[in-house]
Amino acid sequence: MRLNSDHMPKPASAPEGLPKKTFAIIFGVSLVTAMGNTGMISVLPAIGRSIGIPDPMVAAIFSLSALLWAFSSPWWARASDRHGRKPLMLIGLSGFMFSMIACALVVMAGLHHMATPMIIFICFLFARALFGLFGSASNPATQAYVAEHTPPELRTQSMSSLAGAFGLGAVIGPFLAPLFVLPFVGLAGPMLGFAAMAGVMLFIVWKLLPESQQMPVAPVRAEIAKDAAGGDAIKEKPMWRDPRVTPFLVYGFIVAVCQTAQAQTLGFLIIDKLGLDPMKAQGFIAIAMMFGAMAGLLAQWGIIRMFEMTPRQLLRWGVGVAALGNVIVALQPTYAAVVAGFAISSLGFGLARPGFTAGASLAVGMHEQARVAGAIAAVNGVNVVLAPFFVWLYERVAPAPFVLCGLLMVAMLIYALRNSQLKNADPQPATRADAAMATLEKSDEGGL
């Protein structure tokens, strides 16, 4: 039932759609972050080898940031419930911008041999950590903003559209990064360029984004229940322990691990396969990453919408296609085959990630969207900690990391076919939200 007063929030069962201008701004927040992160990933192999940082340590530069991202995302998600979505987006963009500037200064110091490679690595690690600590504020806020204005039957498409910002950023970032490699700043140029873009986006959000109307929080178990004597509220159960959400987080973590491992290893693979100087190989790395990103966009902006795919279908098809792509990269007969395999894998990941994001969002109520967004953001961040292992594995046996990722994707396909939460991850009409919640609560909590 819609309230008549223009000053009262609308009930969770009838959220309004986002105006195009508002969605464009939220899309821009994710786009700028994605451009910067993928642009940095594309130049990291060249940076590491130019400065003299060992390959696994180059991948480890993101590790501290990833841990901070994982621990801070749920906290930022709760803060967005208290203080609103817009302030958290401003904090996230500021953290991203200052982290990029700090990383650029560290890289310039390394390229000019102002310190040893180990000291540069440590400084780079902490400069990037600023993003994990503060940049993580924007992700739960953007996802919750979109979710609370989107009815359940449209949320898969809305989430895939928002996820498309990361796909588009992954296309543009590697393309722009070489253009910012200028004589004075060298390989630090891309980070300064992306920091400037974040500054522009920060101003746009501050001036033009309306604050999201807070949805009324419905009474839920373990959240506002009080004892008969009026005691304290029962503490919320962490999302990663919630049986409605846990299978999606497990699935999402493994998918994110494999996608990150492939992206972090790709640059070294191309440099070694072509036998080129790291700077000369930069263009080939950018081309491969762009093809992968375009395949992800094809999934999120084309295939999902064209076939109106449900989360259940995305969870299955995504990992199946990604497994095939990893096998092709593992065989790596030519540079063209590596690019094709990476693109096929990216197509699969582009299907799988909106599947688990939308599935987790649909598994909980509207009042829990920020919390589930924080859990998803944590999963998407902490997986980076394992990237150095895959690079180390690549140094020992080049095809091994891609074979391992292929096997993990097959395991996730079996998981998606057998786990009760994932098997039933179809969107429910808004009028059946309560029935859907009851079904999920009663279903099996186990995995395989």
Side-chain angles (χ1 to χ4, degrees):
M1 179 177 179
R2 188 179 298 274
L3 300 182
N4 294 326
S5 173
D6 292 335
H7 302 288
M8 294 295 289
K10 305 297 185 293
S13 60
E16 297 179 353
L18 278 176
K20 291 183 179 180
K21 178 181 175 182
T22 301
F23 183 80
I25 295 173
I26 297 173
F27 186 90
V29 173
S30 299
L31 176 65
V32 168
T33 305
M35 284 194 300
N37 288 335
T38 55
M40 178 186 284
I41 289 173
S42 73
V43 298
L44 268 182
I47 289 173
R49 293 195 174 178
S50 298
I51 295 175
I53 302 174
D55 292 353
M57 292 178 66
V58 172
I61 286 170
F62 282 13
S63 297
L64 178 59
S65 175
L67 286 174
L68 292 173
W69 176 287
F71 285 110
S72 62
S73 290
W75 188 87
W76 287 123
R78 291 191 294 270
S80 74
D81 282 336
R82 296 193 301 269
H83 305 295
R85 315 305 184 197
K86 179 176 177 177
L88 272 295
M89 294 184 208
L90 295 174
I91 292 173
L93 281 170
S94 299
F96 172 79
M97 180 178 67
F98 287 114
S99 173
M100 279 292 182
I101 293 172
C103 288
L105 295 176
V106 171
V107 170
M108 283 192 287
L111 294 173
H112 289 87
H113 307 291
M114 298 173 64
T116 64
M118 182 57 67
I119 292 176
I120 294 298
F121 165 75
I122 294 173
C123 293
F124 207 160
L125 188 73
F126 282 100
R128 176 64 185 180
L130 291 173
F131 173 71
L133 186 59
F134 297 103
S136 55
S138 59
N139 201 352
T142 55
Q143 184 175 322
Y145 197 116
V146 172
E148 63 192 14
H149 289 85
T150 309
E153 64 271 15
L154 298 178
R155 202 170 302 157
T156 299
Q157 290 193 9
S158 297
M159 291 301 182
S160 67
S161 296
L162 185 60
F166 295 96
L168 183 60
V171 173
I172 300 174
F175 172 76
L176 290 180
L179 303 181
F180 289 124
V181 180
L182 303 174
F184 178 71
V185 293
L187 288 167
M191 284 160 270
L192 293 174
F194 294 125
M197 294 180 190
V200 173
M201 198 68 229
L202 186 68
F203 179 80
I204 292 174
V205 171
W206 175 50
K207 281 292 187 181
L208 301 178
L209 182 68
E211 178 54 88
S212 176
Q213 288 185 333
Q214 295 300 300
M215 311 304 291
V217 179
V220 291
R221 69 184 190 285
E223 184 171 359
I224 60 171
K226 293 179 179 293
D227 58 34
D232 294 333
I234 301 173
K235 189 176 181 180
E236 292 176 340
K237 179 187 293 186
M239 273 293 169
W240 60 269
R241 292 176 53 195
D242 192 318
R244 299 170 299 168
V245 177
T246 300
F248 294 101
L249 298 182
V250 171
Y251 176 99
F253 174 75
I254 300 300
V255 167
V257 163
C258 292
Q259 186 174 21
T260 301
Q262 193 180 56
Q264 293 275 23
T265 311
L266 181 71
F268 299 113
L269 172 63
I270 291 174
I271 291 173
D272 294 335
K273 175 160 285 296
L274 297 178
L276 295 176
D277 176 84
M279 286 292 293
K280 293 180 179 178
Q282 188 57 47
F284 293 95
I285 296 172
I287 290 171
M289 294 191 70
M290 286 172 57
F291 270 96
M294 287 189 289
L297 277 181
L298 174 63
Q300 293 166 351
W301 287 1
I303 295 174
I304 292 175
R305 291 177 174 274
M306 184 183 303
F307 296 102
E308 298 182 344
M309 298 180 73
T310 67
R312 179 172 63 183
Q313 294 170 326
L314 295 173
L315 292 169
R316 297 174 180 182
W317 278 99
V319 289
V321 173
L324 174 62
N326 272 280
V327 170
I328 295 174
V329 176
L331 297 175
Q332 50 180 280
T334 62
Y335 169 75
V338 170
V339 174
F342 182 67
I344 292 172
S345 296
S346 299
L347 178 69
F349 294 133
L351 296 173
R353 296 192 74 154
F356 95 84
T357 300
S361 173
L362 289 162
V364 300
M366 189 62 67
H367 57 279
E368 298 172 291
Q369 290 302 318
R371 291 179 59 224
V372 80
I376 291 169
V379 163
N380 288 333
V382 75
N383 74 87
V384 181
V385 176
L386 298 179
F389 165 74
F390 285 87
V391 176
W392 173 86
L393 193 60
Y394 166 76
E395 288 187 328
R396 270 67 185 171
V397 182
F402 308 105
V403 172
L404 178 57
C405 287
L407 292 174
L408 288 172
M409 291 298 91
V410 172
M412 287 302 99
L413 176 58
I414 297 171
Y415 189 47
L417 291 170
R418 298 187 60 181
N419 178 268
S420 58
Q421 309 302 94
L422 304 184
K423 283 195 301 184
N424 298 313
D426 281 314
Q428 298 290 338
T431 55
R432 294 174 56 197
D434 293 339
M437 184 72 70
T439 301
L440 286 167
E441 289 174 350
K442 292 178 182 178
S443 59
D444 180 22
E445 298 176 17
L448 296 177

